[in-house]
Amino acid sequence: WEVGGYYLMENIDAEITQLVGSTLVDTILRSFDQEMRSFAFYGGFGWDFLENFTLDAGVRYNWEEKSFQMVQETILEKEIGNLEKSVWTAPTGLVSLTYRFTPDVSAYWKYTRGWKGGHYNANRVNDPPAQPETVDSVEAGFNGSWFDSRLRLSGAFFYYKYQNYQLFLFESQPVGGPVLEIVNANDAEQYGAELELQTVPLQDLSWVPEFWGDLAATVRFGWLESQFLDFTNEIFAIDNNATYVYEVNYTGNRLPNAPRFKVSGSVEYPLNFGRYGTLVPRYDVDWTDDIFFDATNGRGTPQIKPGSGGQLISLPPYSVGQSGYVQHNLRLSWTNEEGNLSVAAWVRNLTDTRFKTSAFDASIFANLVINFVG
């Protein structure tokens, strides 16, 4: 069993200068002070209540307080925000049941309740904070090894249900430029499965020389379904110098940075030459399915089509996303017999695949999309 607790205090004093035009008149100064205090205490236990059964359980109480005040000024005016203060509390915990079929093969079931505190955005004076996020997760899986541990296999199925899901969004405005903030989606969910296979097929075989016995291979597979169950957000759009506010429904869209499939693998072959050291060639491959970097399924913030009388249009597919891609990596290392000297040569992304690691839509403000490219 175990018990514990923590206390954390953090002060932030920040100043941000934002130039949104070509003169001092277009300069926005934002400053804010935030003090955060947080504590939690927890307790848990593990209990082998039957020969092959283990019960693990724990509970935690979370408390967090944030005080926040923001000032925004231009050359023409200064706006001082109210001193805001919020206190958030929540219990969290887990319960897990494990059954061992044999000393090398087991299965488990686990339920977990998670929580993340609220957040103040330093974008506009007197903005209300994003609310705390909670998640309920259920997971069932197995772990096993066979043939004297030459084959290891593990897998899991899982389901996550979020309330007040917190996500980063770039809010693009006609004046002031795009700003990154945390907003709440009312409800979201994720479910899927993971599988990992590890094998050292030649290890400890009597007919295989020890020199050749350490060949190792690993294959991993992930499947993930995700969607917003209830999420609408306001956007700004311009037509003929007039600004309009629209409510866009993202319900049913996939969560950001959540590819549906992901497959990776590696092969490594340590070759032990005794007093001449060990040479280890290694190959890795990684395939990632289509991925979106925002809540729009990669199509960006809808805008008014010029001269359409208010018709909203979106950017082309994958403008704020990345279609599936593969990466290959090679590595060759040598370690001396004593193990205190190692030299390695490597090539990452062997085929020079071009891919985006992130992107955000600033087209309303500056008619562009920013891409971060690998």
Side-chain angles (χ1 to χ4, degrees):
W1 58 268
E2 65 176 358
V3 295
Y6 80 86
Y7 173 79
L8 173 67
M9 188 270 286
E10 178 184 76
N11 289 329
I12 300 175
D13 181 8
E15 294 183 354
I16 303 110
T17 302
Q18 187 175 24
L19 184 65
V20 296
S22 57
T23 68
L24 287 177
V25 178
D26 301 317
T27 300
I28 299 175
L29 302 177
R30 287 180 289 141
S31 62
F32 68 89
D33 295 307
Q34 176 176 282
E35 180 177 315
M36 186 269 285
R37 293 186 299 144
S38 172
F39 74 82
F41 52 86
Y42 58 88
F45 68 89
W47 178 28
D48 295 326
F49 63 96
L50 290 175
E51 182 179 1
N52 295 319
F53 281 95
T54 298
L55 175 67
D56 294 285
V59 65
R60 179 167 123 168
Y61 176 78
N62 306 274
W63 183 93
E64 184 174 294
E65 178 188 76
K66 284 183 179 177
S67 61
F68 180 87
Q69 186 171 31
M70 177 180 166
V71 177
Q72 181 170 296
E73 58 183 308
T74 66
I75 198 172
L76 301 176
E77 62 178 348
K78 181 177 182 179
E79 188 176 5
I80 301 176
N82 300 325
L83 177 61
E84 308 283 349
K85 181 176 287 189
S86 298
V87 176
W88 299 291
T89 63
T92 56
L94 68 88
V95 58
S96 175
L97 183 65
T98 301
Y99 177 72
R100 293 175 294 279
F101 298 95
T102 70
D104 297 321
V105 180
S106 63
Y108 68 91
W109 172 90
K110 180 169 66 174
Y111 164 78
T112 307
R113 172 79 166 182
W115 179 82
K116 185 193 299 183
H119 177 84
Y120 282 96
N121 293 297
N123 295 328
R124 288 174 299 275
V125 171
N126 296 331
D127 255 8
Q131 293 304 303
E133 172 188 299
T134 58
V135 58
D136 294 288
S137 68
V138 178
E139 181 179 333
F142 66 92
N143 297 279
S145 64
W146 297 267
F147 309 111
D148 296 325
S149 297
R150 286 191 291 272
L151 177 67
R152 296 178 179 270
L153 184 65
S154 62
F157 296 91
F158 58 88
Y159 176 80
Y160 294 168
K161 176 66 181 299
Y162 297 91
Q163 297 83 41
N164 288 326
Y165 178 81
Q166 293 181 4
L167 73 154
F168 278 104
L169 281 185
F170 275 96
E171 184 181 275
S172 192
Q173 299 185 28
V175 178
V179 290
L180 183 63
E181 63 180 4
I182 289 180
V183 301
N184 290 115
N186 290 335
D187 293 296
E189 70 175 3
Q190 292 190 117
Y191 59 90
E194 296 176 341
L195 192 67
E196 179 174 341
L197 173 68
Q198 297 175 306
T199 180
V200 281
L202 305 180
Q203 194 173 71
D204 298 328
L205 294 179
S206 58
W207 49 273
V208 176
E210 186 176 351
F211 175 85
W212 301 103
D214 293 329
L215 173 67
T218 301
V219 178
R220 300 180 184 89
F221 169 78
W223 163 59
L224 179 65
E225 297 290 338
S226 65
Q227 65 172 328
F228 293 104
L229 298 176
D230 182 10
F231 181 33
T232 58
N233 193 42
E234 285 188 346
I235 64 167
F236 297 83
I238 293 180
D239 190 29
N240 294 327
N241 295 321
T243 302
Y244 299 87
V245 180
Y246 288 86
E247 186 175 79
V248 180
N249 188 2
Y250 297 120
T251 300
N253 288 3
R254 279 169 45 191
L255 272 58
N257 301 302
R260 178 166 283 127
F261 296 105
K262 193 172 180 68
V263 181
S264 64
S266 64
V267 178
E268 183 177 273
Y269 207 168
L271 303 172
N272 189 339
F273 293 99
R275 64 191 180 95
Y276 297 106
T278 301
L279 192 67
V280 184
R282 179 185 175 96
Y283 166 70
D284 293 270
V285 62
D286 183 287
W287 174 74
T288 301
D289 200 2
D290 300 346
I291 187 170
F292 305 128
F293 303 121
D294 63 6
T296 69
N297 276 356
R299 298 298 298 271
T301 304
Q303 301 179 52
I304 296 177
K305 182 179 180 179
S308 67
Q311 177 186 351
L312 290 177
I313 58 173
S314 297
L315 295 172
Y318 303 108
S319 293
V320 194
Q322 170 64 49
S323 58
Y325 64 97
V326 179
Q327 285 193 88
H328 304 269
N329 306 314
L330 291 177
R331 189 176 192 272
L332 181 65
S333 64
W334 171 85
T335 303
N336 66 350
E337 184 181 14
E338 293 77 13
N340 60 359
L341 176 64
S342 182
V343 179
W346 46 265
V347 180
R348 294 177 183 155
N349 197 8
L350 181 66
T351 56
D352 197 23
T353 299
R354 307 299 174 92
F355 59 95
K356 289 185 279 187
T357 60
S358 184
F360 71 90
D361 179 14
S363 54
I364 289 179
F365 171 70
N367 199 30
L368 57 86
V369 174
I370 305 294
N371 296 300
F372 299 86
V373 182

